[in-house]
Amino acid sequence: MTVSEREAREVAEAAREKDWRKPSFAKELFLGRFRLDLIHPHPEPAAEDVARGEEFLGRLREFAASKIDGALIERESRIPDEVLGGLKELGALGMKIGTEYGGLGLTQVYYNKALALVSSASPAVGALLSAHQSIGVPQPVKLFGSPQQKDAYLPRCARTDISAFLLTEPDVGSDPARLATTAVPDGDDYVLDGVKLWTTNGVIADLLVVMARVPEPDADDPRRAEGHRGGISAFVVEAGSEGITVENRNAFMGLRGIENGVTRFHRVRVPAANRIGPEGAGLKIALTTLNTGRLSLPATCAGSGKWCLKIAREWSRERVQWGRPVAEHEAVGSKISFIAATTFALEAVLDLSSQMADEDRNDIRIEAALAKLYGSEMAWRMADELVQIRGGRGYETAESLAARGERGVPAEQLLRDLRINRIFEGSTEIMHLLIAREAVDAHLSVAGDLIDPDKTLADKSRAAVGAGAFYAKWLPGLVAGPGRMPGAYGEFAALAGHLRYIERAARKLARSTFYAMSRWQGRMETKQGFLGRIVDIGAELFAMSAACVRAEKLRRDGTEGQAAHQLADAFCRQSRLRVEELFGRLWSNTDDLDGTVVRQVLDGAYTWLEEGVVDASTEGPWIADAAPGPAGRENVHRRVP
């Protein structure tokens, strides 16, 4: 499909959840308001939720330690059927499904703890469980399905059936306006045609959530016009339906055990009763599902940080160079400090966001997105630092290390496995834009028409009145606040200074955003470098807030309080250095020059720089043909017993 930039933006904007019916800590943070009351005291889980969660974690831990052979999965690039069967028996497929449907009914907090635990045994197994429950059939059906759909599918997903989510296509990634898979109404059915790429779990799935475009009403075709509004819609599809072919099982840099493939639909009939929600609601369903679904990735990232810390501690105490353990050399010690402090912060962000999701008192769409963005970026850095700490042994595979008589530490595998998290469920670049859009939502709500070149003079006049009233009240609040008061947040003891810094930085962040909108107006959306830094500052401030609140909770609980305060202090000091650098780069950067260089690259001005090498790529198109039609390959779908 050919879609203009404007049309693509309109589709994305229409899918956004626009209403803010509940408070949001992160939204307020971007507006310069440090609402500590929304996260402190740290929310607590109910006793019965803790008991249920801990009981399951105990059983899962025993299973993961005795039945999941991560090295075997890595070596054979496949999760054994016995492991999948064992997960079904444990009830792991139904962790997030209510007990009334045969699931375990775990909270988001304990679901995430389970994912972190099982991912430490095998990231591929963690990815399978996450894809099944966070974005697969259970979550959208739970949130948007009819009672009949819940009764039909949730019990299956809880115990026996593996599910997958199918949105991406060979030529469609983060731009769903160009979605090409169609669902044409035909009587009481829809007929699906198209090709889906990177279908995690798709090779072994029993049930699929498929995003497909229902044709817009057409006066020349009564079948399409009557009773159908059209638009991208969501369907539950039986994976064994006639006309579905898994054409390829994809292989990747990491996560080598995941069952990820290419799925073709050719004249696949799907009952209208299998459509989730109304026509045209597919993208909104997908984005709403991801509001909490994105928390699964930071769960695995926090777990990875814990493992990095364990290996760094044990190795750096054992390895001696120049008469001292390498941990005592500052160059290595600073890396260990970074890993320890960042792991504490990631777990704080994860637990806080998850508990807020469970309580459902706050809107956490921005918090979940920040957790995904920050977790994926920082976990990658921690894994990279661990490889550096391990030196040559960090680059060597665990199998090779074991073969020559040393402990088989899969540090290089962790680096490969974590790399996809910066792309999964919204790449870092897309997350920057998604969060930035939410961060400036209040401004666009009151002043959007002022900077829209297509609006009339009358529209702009009305917007000016509304904007004047909003900014007359909002701007004075950015001048001063508790962050300038020496005694503010005193209950946090030594961490109070960090909270005062967060409050001051939040106001500075809001002022910077307002100044940028005043300066660039309608061109603001093209300033992706600036917007990315704004979001990164917000992510750091959110992580600092979570770390301080968690440390204070642990102190009041009498569990590791002193150590937690020390870790929170270290993290905040490290984070503040990053924040100050980002603030500096808001206005002092190479964004304009970079744009000039890019245009020259694309125009071929620097092709001389590419000389002197050979291209090891194979021949073929950059993007595979995804034209609808019958399958031309063998079906590699396999059913797990």
Side-chain angles (χ1 to χ4, degrees), residues 547-559:
C548 289
V549 168
R550 181 169 186 246
E552 181 59 15
K553 172 187 180 299
L554 293 177
R555 185 186 70 81
R556 293 189 177 189
D557 290 348
T559 56

Side-chain angles (χ1 to χ4, degrees), residues 419-541:
R419 185 59 182 84
I420 188 59
N421 289 342
R422 300 173 65 203
I423 301 171
F424 260 168
E425 297 181 15
S427 68
T428 291
E429 293 72 26
I430 290 299
M431 295 305 295
H432 276 150
L433 300 182
L434 184 152
I435 298 168
R437 173 62 185 86
E438 299 296 348
V440 301
D441 183 58
H443 300 286
L444 294 179
S445 296
V446 299
D449 287 354
L450 275 174
I451 60 178
D452 189 338
D454 295 331
K455 294 298 181 181
T456 66
L457 185 60
D459 290 333
K460 291 179 181 292
S461 297
R462 283 192 294 270
V465 174
F470 172 80
Y471 289 118
K473 182 179 180 181
W474 178 70
L475 286 172
L478 303 182
V479 177
R484 293 293 180 188
M485 299 170 59
Y489 312 113
E491 69 269 29
F492 284 82
L495 298 179
H498 297 309
L499 293 170
R500 291 194 292 270
Y501 175 84
I502 296 168
E503 196 278 334
R504 296 194 303 272
R507 287 188 283 108
K508 182 177 180 181
L509 181 64
R511 292 194 300 269
S512 300
T513 304
F514 175 73
Y515 174 70
M517 290 193 67
S518 303
R519 176 179 176 181
W520 291 313
Q521 299 187 26
R523 294 185 297 121
M524 179 78 162
E525 66 182 24
T526 69
K527 301 298 180 179
Q528 295 180 2
F530 178 90
L531 292 173
R533 294 176 199 112
I534 286 288
V535 170
D536 285 340
I537 292 171
E540 293 283 1
L541 298 181

Side-chain angles (χ1 to χ4, degrees), residues 589-609:
N589 53 65
T590 61
D591 291 350
D592 291 340
L593 176 59
D594 293 341
T596 300
V597 171
V598 168
R599 287 189 292 273
Q600 291 289 88
V601 168
L602 297 180
D603 289 342
Y606 307 139
T607 54
W608 51 269
L609 192 59

Side-chain angles (χ1 to χ4, degrees), residues 244-575:
I244 297 180
T245 305
V246 178
E247 295 191 323
N248 193 65
R249 184 182 187 274
N250 303 323
F252 301 100
M253 173 196 299
L255 293 183
R256 290 180 176 172
I258 61 171
E259 300 286 351
N260 182 296
V262 177
T263 304
R264 177 177 293 272
F265 297 84
H266 177 55
R267 299 176 183 172
V268 178
R269 301 192 73 85
V270 179
N274 287 30
R275 190 189 68 232
I276 307 173
E279 287 183 355
L283 287 183
K284 182 165 289 189
I285 289 172
L287 290 177
T288 304
T289 298
L290 283 172
N291 281 346
T292 54
R294 283 198 176 98
L295 290 175
S296 62
L297 286 186
T300 62
C301 291
S304 297
K306 290 173 177 287
W307 185 80
C308 286
L309 180 60
K310 178 180 185 296
I311 298 300
R313 173 179 58 82
E314 294 176 350
W315 164 251
S316 299
R317 197 168 51 188
E318 182 75 17
R319 176 67 162 168
V320 175
Q321 293 286 275
W322 294 298
R324 288 191 294 170
V326 293
E328 295 181 12
H329 294 285
E330 191 174 276
V332 174
S334 63
K335 299 180 187 301
I336 297 174
S337 175
F338 166 74
I339 292 173
T342 305
T343 296
F344 178 82
L346 286 193
E347 188 169 46
V349 166
L350 176 67
D351 284 355
L352 178 61
S353 301
S354 300
Q355 189 59 46
M356 287 197 294
D358 288 331
E359 290 190 345
D360 201 27
R361 289 190 296 110
N362 294 338
D363 188 321
I364 66 155
R365 74 184 83 163
I366 301 181
E367 285 85 346
L370 287 172
K372 188 274 175 188
L373 168 68
Y374 196 71
S376 59
E377 289 293 324
M378 300 306 274
W380 165 258
R381 286 183 57 182
M382 286 192 290
D384 187 54
E385 294 288 29
L386 177 64
V387 168
Q388 193 70 19
I389 291 170
R390 289 274 291 160
R393 290 172 174 83
Y395 193 67
E396 190 173 2
T397 67
E399 189 174 27
S400 176
L401 287 163
R404 60 182 184 80
E406 291 192 4
R407 182 176 299 188
V409 179
E412 59 83 29
Q413 180 190 336
L414 180 69
L415 197 62
R416 289 187 286 102
D417 289 338
L418 285 174
R419 185 59 182 84
I420 188 59
N421 289 342
R422 300 173 65 203
I423 301 171
F424 260 168
E425 297 181 15
S427 68
T428 291
E429 293 72 26
I430 290 299
M431 295 305 295
H432 276 150
L433 300 182
L434 184 152
I435 298 168
R437 173 62 185 86
E438 299 296 348
V440 301
D441 183 58
H443 300 286
L444 294 179
S445 296
V446 299
D449 287 354
L450 275 174
I451 60 178
D452 189 338
D454 295 331
K455 294 298 181 181
T456 66
L457 185 60
D459 290 333
K460 291 179 181 292
S461 297
R462 283 192 294 270
V465 174
F470 172 80
Y471 289 118
K473 182 179 180 181
W474 178 70
L475 286 172
L478 303 182
V479 177
R484 293 293 180 188
M485 299 170 59
Y489 312 113
E491 69 269 29
F492 284 82
L495 298 179
H498 297 309
L499 293 170
R500 291 194 292 270
Y501 175 84
I502 296 168
E503 196 278 334
R504 296 194 303 272
R507 287 188 283 108
K508 182 177 180 181
L509 181 64
R511 292 194 300 269
S512 300
T513 304
F514 175 73
Y515 174 70
M517 290 193 67
S518 303
R519 176 179 176 181
W520 291 313
Q521 299 187 26
R523 294 185 297 121
M524 179 78 162
E525 66 182 24
T526 69
K527 301 298 180 179
Q528 295 180 2
F530 178 90
L531 292 173
R533 294 176 199 112
I534 286 288
V535 170
D536 285 340
I537 292 171
E540 293 283 1
L541 298 181
F542 177 44
M544 290 171 65
S545 303
C548 289
V549 168
R550 181 169 186 246
E552 181 59 15
K553 172 187 180 299
L554 293 177
R555 185 186 70 81
R556 293 189 177 189
D557 290 348
T559 56
E560 307 297 345
Q562 182 178 355
H565 264 243
Q566 190 174 56
L567 285 170
D569 181 46
F571 173 77
C572 288
R573 290 178 186 276
Q574 295 168 9
S575 179

